[in-house]
Structures are given as structure tokens and as C-alpha cells.
Amino acid sequence: IPSAGTTPVSVVFTGGTTSTSSTTSTSSSTSSRSSTSSVDTGSSSSSGNLVGDATRGKSLWTTQSCVGCHGVDGEKNADGTVAYAPLNANRSAYRHRMDTQDRSLRDFIAMWMPEGNGGSCTGQCAADLEAYIFTWRQPSDGIPSKPATAFSCPSTAPSYGQRTLRLLTKAEYQRTVKDLVNYTDDVISRLPDDMISGVFVNNNNLQIDKTRYSSYLGTAERIAENVATRWNAVLSCTPGTSGCADKLINDLAPRVFRRPLTTDEKTAYLAVAKGTTGSRTEAEGMQIALAAMLSSPQFLYRSEIGDLSSSGVYKLNGYEMATYLAYTFTGSTPSQALLTAAGNGSLNTAAGIRTQAASLLSSANTKLLLTDFVNRWLGTENLTNLSRTGTTDFVNLANDMKAELGKNFGNALLDSTSTFGSLYNPNYTYVNQRLATHYGLAYTNSGADSDGFVRVATSERGGILASGAFMSRYSSNSDSNLITRAVAVRRKMMCQDIPEPPSGVSLDREAIAKRDAEFFNSPTTTQLMIANRITAGTTCSNCHAEIINPLGAGMENFDHLGRVRTSDPKGNAVKTTTTFFSPYQQLQFLNDPDRVIHQPAITFSGAKDLGRTIVEHPTVSAQAQTCLATQFVSYSSGIHSIFLLDTDRDVGTQRISKAEENAYRCDIADLTQVLNTRGPRAMLEEIPALESVMYRQVWAR
């Protein structure tokens, strides 16, 4: 590529290296820029070593009918009319995939162009057209060239987290009052909406205004009124009997506050409970005292403030750690046993924290939280709100699929013998009778869970990718959707930052459908052919040509209802052998001439084989493992996951400081190492022992 200010006039191919000469050059011995991967320039044409002339190519662009499809400078509008915007987004349509070879643009022209008359422009003609097209390459197109990079810890500084107060979520409030006083009436519908950070519900640093607080106060009063009718069941005593008010303050209040009360707090609350304050009866006082506790900041907020250490950093004390552990792994308040561990110093060390975490992971609530986690992470939580043709019972099927996904995920995370492979490439799945019938799997209720789910062997599905929930969620109403599936894999399972379509790009789908109706409706036209037609010849090809369309095509063996299929709705055989491009933290777009093309290519065939690839291919697996660790750090810290990725893109929200980002990223690297060497359950046990959890500071935001 010539330097800025020069005019490219010819292109020379020598041994796979593209060399571009400029008007300041008098021979073909020009400076060159080589790709990081070798390029096979061999083809059936004889243009391989010919020098292309851009001036002749400009004339050929019209006479060879190129302009009829591509416009005067390489683009066309959705309705087929000529687009006059400069071609600055398809600079490396300069390489094309044909079979398994990495061939030059001139080879592509010689073999396939113009459409329907391939082979009419070979040799010098193809070389000249290539040289002309290369003149469109711009120094910058807004999408930077990125090297192939893996996720890394960019700092040697300590990984301190943010000092914070975290408001209980509505679900946490509901579970907490059940565990404290066995209150089971609905409170979720009465409380203000939660804040969502990334994909997870997490009220990190959320403040309560007067309007919101009235909801909490009214809810606390309602709960206290209910408990006042059954004090004996809650405290094993009744108001007015000896020591009942004391039991409320000495036994229940520390569990409400998740720590011992201070002397002043105990004195004040005891006076209210006994009726001394306000000249009330003890029954009235105890009810008011409980309502005050349940509406107090000490109850509504989880403290992650820490105590100042001699080194100037804040360390979470035992009670704060007990609270963190309980809500992270059970979604509710700490048990008395956990509070006792906090009081005796068992939670002051990383080893002690891991021990308590291991115990909490056996909680029934943990499995429920993991089901919620994976469905929110993968975007399948709203599957029941979607419409899918071909069944009269999709709502129940969707709920079953979400439960299947949760059980597969929970088993892979909690079984001490599991590995990362258990997440993506197990040889089993969990189904109930309805789901087994839908999938065509054998079912027996022997050994089934209480909800009727049983583990069954399968070779075509299983794990979080080749699952009914994921495949159905990222489909259309009546067929698969290879684009949404590929984008979901990239963004959610690989944590790659795929930007939204570039500004100014507008695909008028109705115009495209009208223009190409015959092609779209042809019985031999597949979803991949349609996707390629829609995204070809536009700036969309930067992402779609390699990053999206091929990846999505490999999952076409699942239909819109999450069933394995061998043919599409038109009866065409499903072909799923394809290539996985750019498995890196930074995506490498098609217009990046320095992008890495794996040799041999990373190929797979079908969704289950993609799961195997995610587990077994070193580069792909490393990225996917880091992504899983990233999701758990986002979930447990309340930090939006976009801040944990290596991206400088404007994400439309206030960023945390780069130093704070680095701190969390280094802990993600540590967590990934544990996952890789000791397995998923050990990774979960490590979360509360991370430096960013145990130690805090005030970060500038």
C-alpha cells in the first residue's frame, strides 16, 4: 500500500506478496507490505505474475460490465441503483476464499466475474481490473487494522476493586425476607425496577430517591404486619413475654443487618421494640422495630466498603465477605453458620474464603442462580416471549429449553470432575418427556429429577451452544437465522466486540427482496446464499464475509425450534462445513489486509462440531475460556462487561478508568488460569478470593 499522497498505478504479485507501486517509482521493485499469513496466488488463470495497469483497468471496469452490478466505484444501493460513495470498506475483498485456498483478487475475477459469465476476463484483463480496484484503498476507513491479540493482563499493579454499596435486587430482597422471617408473599412487583449492568441484574452504586424509598418503606411495613401475627413461629416467643423484644434485637437483628449491631444501634432498636420509645406496647414496638430494620440502609444495601489496612487499601471484613459470598452463590442473606465463620476470623484469608465458597456451591439456590445466569448471559431469558411456527406449545417448550440449558450449565460448573469441555462438548443433555419427544430422543423417567428432567446420551446436541434454547432464540419465526446466531456466538461466547453496522449503511430489505425476488424464492436458494447476496458489495461485507456468514452457516443444522435437521424448509441439503475466522480478542475485519488467515484453516461442520472446536482448538478455546471468566467477573462485581474487554470503541456509556479496567482484567486472567488448570468448579470457588473482591480502593469515575 503506497504512503499517503502517492497514486497507486500498478500491482505486482511475486510469491504471494502484494506490492503496489506509485508514480514516484520507475520499476516494479517497490516497497511492499506482506500479510501475516501466506497467500496462494496460483489459479487456473495466467494472470499470476502479470503487472496490472490501473488506467486500463478503469476502462475495463465499464466495458466488462462491472459497473452494472457494482456501480462506478464498487458499491451499489439496496435497490440496485449505482452508489456513488467511495469504496473504502472492502479493501481486502482483495482476498477471497475459494475452496480451501487463499487466492488473489485477480484470481477471483478470472474465475467468477462477471456474474454468470465467469472466465471472460482472465490474464492481463484480470490483472488490470485488480490494479484499478486497488486504487480505491484508503489510508483509513474508520475501522483500524488490529493485530491478532489474545486477552491479557496489561498491568503489574494490584487488582483492587471499587469500594461500593450494592442495593439488593428485587429477587434478592424476596429470597432474603423468606429466609429471615419466612415471608412468602410477592414483593418483587412492589419494588422499583433493578439496574441492569451489561446483561446481569446488579444494583451496583444505585441510589434510592424519595419516590423509590416509599416502595421499600411500604413493603417493610407490610412484612412487619404479617410477622406480627406469628412472632412465635419466627422467634419462638410472643410480645410481652420475658425477653421476646431482646430476642428480636439480639438474635434476628444481626441477621437482618448481616453483622453485629453497634452499641448505639442496639440501644435505639431495643427501646423501640420494648415500646419505651413512643409509649407503645411491646407488640406495637416490635412491629415498628422490624419495619424500621427492613427499610434501613443497613438492610437494603450490601456493604463492600472494607476496613482501612496499614497499607492504605481497604479490605472487606468478615461480615462483608460473608454477605458477598451468600448473595453471589445463593442469592440470599448469609446463614447463621456463615455469620459465625465471619465472626471467628475464618473469612479473613483467601483459603478460608475458598472453603466457605465450596460449601455454598452445594446449595440448591446455586443451581437456580446458575440457570438464571446462563439464560441472561446468552439472551435466552426472554425465549418464552417470542413466536415460533411449527408448534402449538412453544411457550412450554421454551421453558423446557431454558431449564435444559440451566441444567447443562449447572452440571458443567458444579461437578468437581467437569472440565471446560463439559460446557460446550458433552455427550449428554437433560430433557423431560415433552422435550425428548420434540428432539426425537429416547426418554425414561428412571432417575429423573423432581421436575421430570433426566440426563440422556446424545451425539448431535448438548452443552450451551448446541442447545434448543440458544438455537431457537437466535432464529426467525419460521427458519434459522445464521446471522443472529453468528453474532451471538461472537459477542456472548467469545466476548468479541462486533460493532453495529457502520454509519450511513442502510439495507432496505424490502427493496432487496423486490429486486431479487426470483432468486430469494427459488427452491434451490439457501439461507447462506440469501445472506451472502444481501451483504455482498456493501460495507457490510467487512464483517459478514468472514466473521459472520461462514460461522453462522456452520450452525444451519439446527432449525428454528432447536431441532437437528439435515435439510432446510425448501428441501435443500444442509451443508455446514465451514471456516472459523478471527478467533481473537480484537476482530480482524475483511478490509484489514494484515488479518491472520489460519493455515490450516479452522474448520468445523455443524453446531456440535463448533462446540468441539471451541473446546479443542487452542486459540478459540483460550478466547472462550476468558469470555466465561469475564462474564462471572461482570456478574459478581456489577461492572458492565464491555469495560472488561480490550476495546477502545465508544460504547455509549460512561467508562470506568483505564486503571480500574486493567485491575479487573488481571483478575480475569487469573480466573481463566484456574478454569484451565483446575476446572469450572474451582473457578467459581476462586471468585471471592480474587484480589479485586478482597481488597478495595476509591477509583475515580
Side-chain angles (χ1 to χ4, degrees):
I1 301 176
S3 58
T6 62
T7 304
V9 295
S10 64
V11 178
V12 182
F13 270 84
T14 54
T17 299
T18 304
S19 304
T20 308
S21 67
S22 72
T23 54
T24 59
S25 197
T26 57
S27 71
S28 62
S29 295
T30 63
S31 60
S32 65
R33 181 177 178 181
S34 300
S35 169
T36 53
S37 61
S38 60
V39 179
D40 177 5
T41 59
S43 74
S44 58
S45 72
S46 58
S47 59
N49 294 315
L50 295 172
V51 177
D53 185 279
T55 301
R56 290 196 302 263
K58 183 176 182 179
S59 177
L60 288 168
W61 183 253
T62 301
T63 60
Q64 289 293 321
S65 302
C66 308
V67 70
C69 290
H70 299 290
V72 294
D73 53 10
E75 293 200 25
K76 57 181 177 177
N77 294 320
D79 62 1
T81 60
V82 173
Y84 293 96
L87 181 71
N88 61 9
N90 209 15
R91 294 184 294 132
S92 240
Y94 312 125
R95 299 197 193 98
H96 288 262
R97 304 286 84 62
M98 292 182 293
D99 301 320
T100 59
Q101 300 298 317
D102 208 10
R103 300 183 189 272
S104 67
L105 175 60
R106 63 178 63 188
D107 294 325
F108 184 84
I109 293 169
M111 295 177 69
W112 301 107
M113 292 290 105
E115 191 174 74
N117 193 25
S120 64
C121 178
T122 61
Q124 189 66 55
C125 175
D128 291 345
L129 275 172
E130 178 190 62
Y132 173 57
I133 293 171
F134 272 24
T135 66
W136 301 335
R137 298 171 102 164
Q138 304 295 318
S140 174
D141 56 16
I143 304 178
S145 298
K146 295 286 187 180
T149 57
F151 185 94
S152 63
C153 168
S155 173
T156 58
S159 298
Y160 299 147
Q162 171 80 347
R163 299 181 79 205
T164 187
L165 293 172
R166 298 166 66 175
L167 181 67
L168 296 182
T169 68
K170 294 192 290 185
E172 288 171 344
Y173 191 110
Q174 180 83 72
R175 285 188 289 261
T176 296
V177 294
K178 180 181 184 302
D179 289 343
L180 287 174
V181 295
N182 197 30
Y183 184 81
T184 57
D185 291 353
D186 171 59
V187 299
I188 290 178
S189 63
R190 300 180 181 278
L191 298 178
D193 289 339
D194 294 316
M195 182 181 74
I196 298 178
S197 177
V199 298
F200 301 112
V201 176
N202 199 312
N203 295 333
N204 194 3
N205 280 325
L206 184 62
Q207 298 179 354
I208 302 176
D209 58 23
K210 183 177 180 180
T211 301
R212 292 173 65 92
Y213 183 68
S214 64
S215 300
Y216 288 101
L217 182 58
T219 301
E221 291 172 341
R222 185 182 296 268
I223 295 170
E225 183 180 359
N226 173 275
V227 174
T229 66
R230 51 187 181 86
W231 280 117
N232 195 54
V234 175
L235 293 176
S236 300
C237 67
T238 56
T241 59
S242 177
C244 198
D246 294 275
K247 290 193 69 173
L248 171 62
I249 305 307
N250 294 328
D251 297 346
L252 183 60
R255 293 198 60 207
V256 174
F257 284 8
R258 302 179 285 274
R259 59 164 175 77
L261 275 64
T262 66
T263 300
D264 288 344
E265 288 171 336
K266 184 179 293 187
T267 299
Y269 274 105
L270 189 58
V272 173
K274 288 180 177 293
T276 305
T277 300
S279 300
R280 302 180 181 92
T281 66
E282 186 168 284
E284 293 171 335
M286 288 177 63
Q287 180 177 331
I288 292 173
L290 180 59
M293 292 177 201
L294 295 178
S295 59
S296 69
Q298 288 79 9
F299 170 72
L300 295 176
Y301 284 94
R302 297 163 47 185
S303 172
E304 296 178 16
I305 299 298
D307 298 331
L308 185 62
S309 69
S310 58
S311 61
V313 67
Y314 294 84
K315 182 180 179 182
L316 295 193
N317 62 47
Y319 294 104
E320 290 175 314
M321 182 57 70
T323 299
Y324 178 93
L325 282 163
Y327 282 103
T328 299
F329 293 132
T330 73
S332 187
T333 195
S335 65
Q336 186 57 57
L338 195 55
L339 291 175
T340 298
N344 65 26
S346 297
L347 299 179
N348 292 341
T349 65
I353 291 168
R354 293 187 190 100
T355 298
Q356 291 296 328
S359 177
L360 289 176
L361 288 176
S362 299
S363 163
N365 271 5
T366 301
K367 292 183 178 180
L368 297 177
L369 289 184
L370 288 175
T371 294
D372 179 69
F373 176 100
V374 70
N375 279 288
R376 291 201 65 88
W377 169 31
L378 299 183
T380 52
E381 81 281 358
N382 66 346
L383 185 60
T384 50
N385 299 329
L386 304 179
S387 175
R388 296 289 181 266
T389 61
T391 177
T392 59
D393 196 23
F394 183 68
V395 172
N396 285 324
L397 280 172
N399 279 320
D400 291 343
M401 290 176 187
K402 289 163 64 176
E404 172 197 14
L405 182 63
K407 288 177 182 292
N408 279 324
F409 187 68
N411 179 79
L413 268 293
L414 297 176
D415 189 334
S416 60
T417 65
S418 290
T419 65
F420 180 67
S422 305
L423 281 163
Y424 283 98
N425 193 34
N427 59 0
Y428 61 84
T429 192
Y430 287 88
V431 293
N432 58 11
Q433 179 65 74
R434 178 170 46 227
L435 209 52
T437 301
H438 179 67
Y439 291 157
L441 298 175
Y443 176 85
T444 174
N445 61 6
S446 176
D449 295 339
S450 59
D451 54 5
F453 276 80
V454 66
R455 176 167 157 170
V456 298
T458 175
S459 60
E460 295 182 302
R461 60 190 318 118
I464 64 175
L465 172 65
S467 65
F470 183 82
M471 292 299 169
S472 182
R473 167 64 178 84
Y474 296 102
S475 293
S476 68
N477 182 47
S478 59
D479 200 357
S480 63
N481 189 321
L482 64 90
I483 292 175
T484 57
R485 285 177 179 176
V487 171
V489 169
R490 295 284 189 183
R491 286 179 173 168
K492 295 181 177 298
M493 297 182 177
M494 299 293 287
C495 288
Q496 293 173 315
D497 183 27
I498 295 184
E500 297 302 319
S503 176
V505 172
S506 175
L507 289 178
D508 185 342
R509 294 184 178 275
E510 291 185 3
I512 294 174
K514 182 178 180 180
R515 183 195 69 203
D516 295 335
E518 182 178 356
F519 174 77
F520 287 174
N521 295 328
S522 169
T524 60
T525 300
T526 65
Q527 287 293 320
L528 178 60
M529 293 165 67
I530 291 173
N532 287 342
R533 173 68 66 93
I534 290 174
T535 58
T538 71
T539 53
C540 298
S541 61
N542 287 321
C543 285
H544 284 270
E546 291 181 350
I547 293 172
I548 295 176
N549 293 8
L551 180 60
M555 294 178 273
E556 279 286 273
N557 63 320
F558 273 78
D559 71 6
H560 66 297
L561 291 172
R563 299 172 300 194
V564 177
R565 67 180 185 180
T566 57
S567 60
D568 68 14
K570 295 180 179 179
N572 297 303
V574 172
K575 299 178 181 179
T576 58
T577 300
T578 187
T579 301
F580 193 130
F581 294 98
S582 191
Y584 308 109
Q585 180 65 61
Q586 290 283 3
L587 284 170
Q588 297 187 304
F589 299 96
L590 181 68
N591 71 331
D592 183 355
D594 289 331
R595 72 195 190 284
V596 173
I597 306 299
H598 278 271
Q599 296 293 348
I602 307 173
T603 60
F604 67 94
S605 183
K608 194 68 166 67
D609 197 39
L610 174 57
R612 178 198 59 78
T613 301
I614 290 175
V615 172
E616 296 181 2
H617 190 278
T619 307
V620 182
S621 183
Q623 185 63 32
Q625 289 184 55
T626 297
C627 185
L628 178 65
T630 299
Q631 299 305 322
F632 273 105
V633 169
S634 176
Y635 164 77
S636 60
S637 69
I639 302 296
H640 196 307
S641 61
I642 196 68
F643 299 144
L644 307 177
L645 308 181
D646 182 16
T647 177
D648 296 323
R649 187 171 65 87
D650 181 7
V651 295
T653 187
Q654 184 178 359
R655 296 193 72 96
I656 61 178
S657 70
K658 183 61 66 175
E660 187 179 359
E661 286 185 34
N662 291 346
Y664 294 115
R665 287 178 59 196
C666 288
D667 268 5
I668 289 170
D670 292 342
L671 207 58
T672 305
Q673 177 67 14
V674 174
L675 169 64
N676 186 46
T677 57
R678 293 162 48 202
R681 186 180 176 103
M683 178 195 68
L684 293 183
E685 295 171 3
E686 189 66 23
I687 291 173
L690 292 172
E691 195 169 36
S692 63
V693 175
M694 294 181 65
Y695 299 96
R696 307 300 179 98
Q697 70 177 50
V698 178
W699 287 104
R701 292 188 177 178

